[in-house]
Amino acid sequence: MTTRLEPLGDRAFLARFDAEDDARRWAEAVRARSLPGLVDVVLAYRSAAVLADPDRVDLDSLERTLRSIEPADGPADEPARHVIPMLYDGPDLGDAAARLGLAREELIAAHAGRDFRVFAIGFLPGFPYAGYLPEELCGLARRDDPRSSVPAGSVAIAGRQTGIYPIASPGGWHLLGRTPLRIADPEAGRFPIRAGDAIRFRPIDRDEFAARTDERL
Amino acid sequence: MGLLVVDPGFFTTVQDLGRPGARAFGVPLGGAFDRESLTLANALAGDEPGPAALEMTLRGGAFEARCDLGIAVAGAAVPAAIVAEDGSRRPVAVPSSAWLRRGERIELGRADQGARTYLATPGGFQVGAWLGSRSDERPVRQGDFLPAGPSRLPCRRPAAVDRREPPDALRILPGPDWSLLDDPDAVCSARFRIGSRSDRMGLRLEGEGGSISVATTADRLSAPVTPGAIQAAGGRLIVLGVSCGTMGGYPHVAQVISADLDRLGRLRPGDPIAFRTVATAEARALDREGRMRLRSLSLRIAAAARDGLG
């Protein structure tokens, strides 16, 4: 398979693939090469952007190098996996279950019972876009009236995806519950969840939530 | 010690060169929207590019020195003066450097042209940093205190700031979704104005005659974007600004070349703009030229500022 690479402006390149996993493995392969002059390797779904510092690398030669890298060059090992303890007590849990035609317990079992892939980090520093949701949880559009403040640690769904708010922020997704953990500390530059990783939610009770509040992931 | 915000102006933030290298974690670049003007202000303060300065948008404000404080201003021209405790005023040109005695204020008025004026001090304002930057998207408010060490600067206007007069059109490269445009020529033949809902995240363009339409792609996946990305949304174009998010969901039809990014930070609502495509090789050559020119300008002016103190 060839890497479809095109310029993204004059200091970056964008590689596009047919599958999320090809993009992930290509991005990992690029990172593993530790090429000089790379500023960022940003993975998002089926694409990856490589941002370069033109003072430190010749962009034509970087382009040739990037073209020569293939997804198959990426690490064969499984991506990192994070288990996220989660209290399913969100303000939208009942409403989301009703609109999806599920009992609360069925919604929780469907959301917690599987690994999700983190396709991208964005919207907020450290916010993982993960999915894809199983069919029975798909299809809730964003809320018509986004909340002006969603608490840090909130776990939410929209469309085919689930995400975690690392910090308090406005938000339009449906809130299913909360993790007690700090999944990122942007101010300290700590972002344990990376695009390409896997996450899984584990239901916990109020006691465990209280005991683990503010613990770091 | 530092500067007290007496009047924050219209929208004034603390900015440096932002947080490059963290887009993979969803962290926007941020920092000064007009980096050349920040660099010039830093240089007039005797510094290399980067110490945190105030970025004032459309209108300056008033700031009182709580110690002797060297200041340097650059960017959009605004009427400015230092007001002494006895009420006497000494005019300050933009760009130039000067110094405030403890208790004196600098007052800066409205910009008639351009959008952003920078106020720097030697070593920068020491507000809180994270990920290596003091850049903050929240505007300063009346009564805020901006810590800075005491300093003095010669009153000096830079000799011939060679800000090359740019061509009328912003130069662009085709973006990943250029081929989705129904009529690519329309991007360069149409005339636009900067819409009023424009900010550091992005400039919303209002078309003069005809909208820009793209082939609709159901369920387009978000993809990485950087400042200067031009997105087509609902018949309109949005040019992403310096603090734009790291991913975009709208078709990414074009990209402003790096050499023209600072010009985005100088545009104000109502300003006309047009686009012109260039080749990638030309864009890279212009980028290289611009960086070299700015580097030598910065070195020369910073050296003069330091020499001026004797």
Side-chain angles (χ1 to χ4, degrees):
Chain A
M1 101 148 267
T2 50
T3 295
R4 279 178 287 157
L5 190 78
E6 57 193 302
L8 186 71
D10 47 26
R11 293 184 189 175
F13 299 93
L14 183 71
R16 295 202 266 190
F17 302 89
D18 294 327
E20 285 81 350
D21 207 49
D22 287 338
R24 172 185 78 87
R25 295 187 68 188
W26 187 82
E28 287 296 337
V30 172
R31 289 193 181 118
R33 295 280 290 270
S34 301
L35 302 166
L38 290 203
V39 177
D40 263 319
V41 179
V42 187
L43 170 64
Y45 301 92
R46 293 179 196 160
S47 63
V50 177
L51 280 63
D53 176 352
D55 281 334
R56 291 170 54 213
V57 61
D58 175 71
L59 293 166
D60 291 324
S61 83
L62 174 63
E63 180 170 0
R64 283 192 296 276
T65 305
L66 293 176
R67 276 187 201 285
S68 73
I69 297 173
E70 295 182 11
D73 300 331
D77 45 333
E78 285 297 300
R81 190 163 171 273
H82 309 275
V83 176
I84 312 287
M86 174 176 168
L87 176 63
Y88 283 85
D89 71 341
D92 300 330
L93 184 67
D95 181 56
R99 288 170 60 188
L100 293 165
L102 299 171
R104 281 174 182 243
E105 295 68 29
E106 291 173 322
L107 186 159
I108 293 169
H111 187 258
R114 67 194 69 230
D115 282 8
F116 295 115
R117 175 61 54 84
V118 177
F119 297 119
I121 305 284
F123 160 58
L124 296 172
F127 181 101
Y129 285 88
Y132 292 113
L133 294 173
E135 199 62 39
E136 63 265 36
L137 297 186
C138 288
L140 292 183
R142 282 158 211 232
R143 290 166 54 89
D144 292 334
D145 53 335
R147 290 187 169 84
S148 57
S149 183
V150 169
S154 294
V155 178
I157 61 172
R160 294 197 291 158
Q161 301 190 73
T162 185
I164 311 169
Y165 291 83
I167 50 178
S169 127
W173 289 23
H174 304 269
L175 308 183
L176 302 185
R178 297 171 286 160
T179 178
L181 305 190
R182 277 164 36 202
I183 65 151
D185 288 302
E187 308 223 330
R190 196 182 70 91
F191 298 98
I193 301 176
R194 303 187 354 149
D197 290 355
I199 60 173
R200 187 186 185 94
F201 296 100
R202 183 174 67 79
I204 59 170
D205 60 21
R206 285 180 192 284
D207 290 344
E208 183 169 351
F209 185 93
R212 300 189 66 182
T213 293
D214 270 347
E215 206 175 283
R216 290 172 153 204
L217 171 65
Chain B
M1 288 180 292
L3 204 58
L4 179 71
V5 179
V6 177
D7 166 9
F10 171 62
F11 185 86
T12 300
T13 56
V14 175
Q15 299 297 343
D16 51 23
L17 293 175
R19 302 179 177 86
R23 296 188 86 74
F25 303 115
V27 179
L29 174 62
F33 205 166
D34 176 357
R35 295 161 113 79
E36 179 177 336
S37 294
L38 170 71
T39 297
L40 178 55
N42 286 152
L44 284 164
D47 287 328
E48 290 183 13
L54 288 175
E55 178 182 282
M56 297 168 283
T57 313
L58 301 177
R59 184 167 81 78
F63 308 93
E64 183 178 303
R66 306 314 297 262
C67 59
D68 287 0
L69 200 66
I71 50 138
V73 288
V78 293
I82 293 170
V83 183
E85 286 183 284
D86 65 6
S88 63
R89 301 170 73 89
R90 316 194 289 282
V92 173
V94 181
S96 76
S97 60
W99 64 281
L100 304 172
R101 292 178 188 82
R102 180 190 158 93
E104 290 184 331
R105 294 178 178 190
I106 179 163
E107 294 183 358
L108 305 105
R110 286 175 192 280
D112 289 331
Q113 286 178 25
R116 291 178 172 84
T117 307
Y118 294 85
L119 172 67
T121 191
F125 295 107
Q126 305 297 310
V127 299
W130 65 276
L131 274 184
S133 167
R134 304 181 198 279
S135 164
D136 193 343
E137 296 305 318
R138 291 168 302 188
V140 299
R141 295 183 300 185
Q142 183 179 1
D144 282 357
F145 186 70
L146 306 163
S151 58
R152 289 185 180 187
L153 282 173
C155 293
R156 180 192 291 273
R157 300 192 67 170
V161 174
D162 159 37
R163 179 179 277 185
R164 202 155 297 172
E165 203 49 48
D168 287 346
L170 280 170
R171 292 160 295 187
I172 59 173
L173 293 164
D177 298 316
W178 178 258
S179 63
L180 297 181
L181 286 164
D182 289 341
D183 177 11
D185 293 341
V187 172
C188 294
S189 59
R191 293 292 174 266
F192 303 93
R193 283 188 187 279
I194 305 297
S196 56
R197 288 175 54 221
S198 297
D199 56 21
R200 291 172 42 83
M201 301 271 287
L203 306 177
R204 289 160 190 275
L205 306 191
E206 291 165 358
E208 295 187 348
S211 69
I212 301 293
S213 50
V214 290
T216 49
T217 48
D219 208 18
R220 183 189 188 277
L221 293 171
S222 288
V225 291
T226 59
I230 304 178
Q231 298 181 324
R236 299 271 178 92
L237 297 181
I238 299 170
V239 186
L240 297 186
V242 72
S243 61
C244 70
T246 55
M247 294 192 308
Y250 295 115
H252 179 176
V253 296
Q255 181 85 27
V256 176
I257 68 169
S258 299
D260 281 354
L261 286 177
D262 285 338
R263 293 172 61 191
L264 298 176
R266 298 174 195 153
L267 292 167
R268 52 196 280 146
D271 278 355
I273 68 164
F275 298 108
R276 174 164 74 80
T277 53
V278 294
T280 303
E282 185 184 351
R284 288 189 184 150
L286 289 165
D287 183 23
R288 191 160 46 240
E289 233 173 72
R291 283 181 286 115
M292 285 175 59
R293 188 176 52 82
L294 187 57
R295 192 172 304 138
S296 79
L297 179 78
S298 163
L299 287 170
R300 184 162 50 80
I301 292 178
R306 289 191 299 265
D307 286 351
L309 292 175

